[in-house]
Amino acid sequence: MKPINHVEGRAIPFGQKNVDTDVIIPAKWLKTISRDGLAKGAFEAIRAEDGNIFDDPEYAGANILIAGDNFGCGSSREHAAWALADMGITAVIAPSFSDIFSGNAFKNGLLAIALPQEAIDRLMEVAKTDPIAVDMETMTVTTPFQDRFAFEMDPFRHECLIQGLDEIDLTMAKSDAIEQHEKNNDSSKPWLKPVAA
């Protein structure tokens, strides 16, 4: 996973509430185990409409998505986080997230930042014309107009995201302790040792 310290750029002012994972990535796209190519199916139903915000050239290359309350509700599909990342989104800012989506976002290096509705309203306005910045060190979202919104994040998740550590990295960091545990088991519990064929 890539470390995330600072995200800055245009944001898509989406703002819709109760966007479920089927809207983010429809079920027909779940047949893949690859994280690549899912951007094509992201927000497919919304993108079918003329003049939709996701295909607006104004927001081409945007790396932040501003969403409404209860973003990522519905089923637990990890593909939703994969699709957003494949679109180039690094941070989603909303008043609240479903717990499962928030967990999947974290595990896939996608920032899920919760801010009060008043802050979301302001960011929606700024995003129409100007970039937004997320600083993980100070845990703030800022605009060029001196807006500064502080957010909270679980300390463990925060540390993992800024260091770029996923579950495999965390496990590998304990490899010496795991090896020592296995050696101790071999001597103290010999009945657990595999028998050679």
Side-chain angles (χ1 to χ4, degrees):
M1 204 163 64
K2 283 183 177 177
I4 304 173
N5 294 300
H6 190 80
V7 180
E8 186 168 3
R10 291 301 301 272
I12 301 170
F14 180 43
Q16 191 170 324
K17 296 180 179 181
N18 300 312
V19 172
D20 66 31
T21 52
D22 196 49
V23 171
I24 299 169
I25 186 76
K28 70 180 186 180
W29 290 88
L30 306 186
K31 297 173 186 167
T32 180
I33 56 169
S34 172
R35 299 173 191 219
D36 298 326
L38 290 176
K40 290 182 282 186
F43 300 101
E44 187 175 59
I46 294 170
R47 292 173 111 164
E49 300 168 11
D50 287 338
N52 75 82
I53 198 161
F54 292 103
D55 293 325
D56 186 333
E58 179 74 22
Y59 305 108
N63 57 356
I64 299 170
L65 176 67
I66 302 170
D69 200 30
N70 198 28
F71 186 80
C73 56
S75 67
S76 62
R77 61 188 69 164
E78 191 172 21
H79 293 68
W82 295 355
L84 288 165
D86 199 43
M87 285 176 65
I89 300 296
T90 305
V92 180
I93 306 172
S96 68
F97 298 89
S98 100
D99 287 343
I100 293 173
F101 175 82
S102 181
N104 284 337
F106 160 66
K107 290 177 182 180
N108 288 282
L110 181 68
L111 300 180
I113 298 169
L115 288 175
Q117 187 62 53
E118 303 78 47
I120 297 298
D121 294 342
R122 174 62 179 154
L123 293 173
M124 289 279 292
E125 200 57 41
V126 171
K128 292 175 185 174
T129 55
D130 291 276
I132 290 170
V134 177
D135 190 303
M136 286 291 284
E137 294 293 337
T138 60
M139 294 191 7
T140 56
V141 177
T142 57
T143 74
F145 306 104
Q146 306 307 311
D147 299 296
R148 184 180 181 86
F149 305 109
F151 62 89
E152 295 180 2
M153 185 176 285
D154 173 83
F156 173 74
R157 286 185 175 188
H158 179 260
E159 192 63 22
C160 287
L161 288 165
I162 63 173
Q163 289 192 34
L165 300 173
D166 62 17
E167 291 171 331
I168 294 172
D169 295 322
L170 291 168
T171 302
M172 293 307 293
K174 305 280 186 191
S175 61
D176 290 343
I178 293 167
E179 189 176 328
Q180 188 58 50
H181 173 77
E182 292 296 321
K183 286 179 183 175
N184 291 344
N185 262 355
D186 286 349
S187 59
S188 66
K189 300 172 185 166
W191 60 89
L192 293 176
K193 195 172 182 179
V195 178

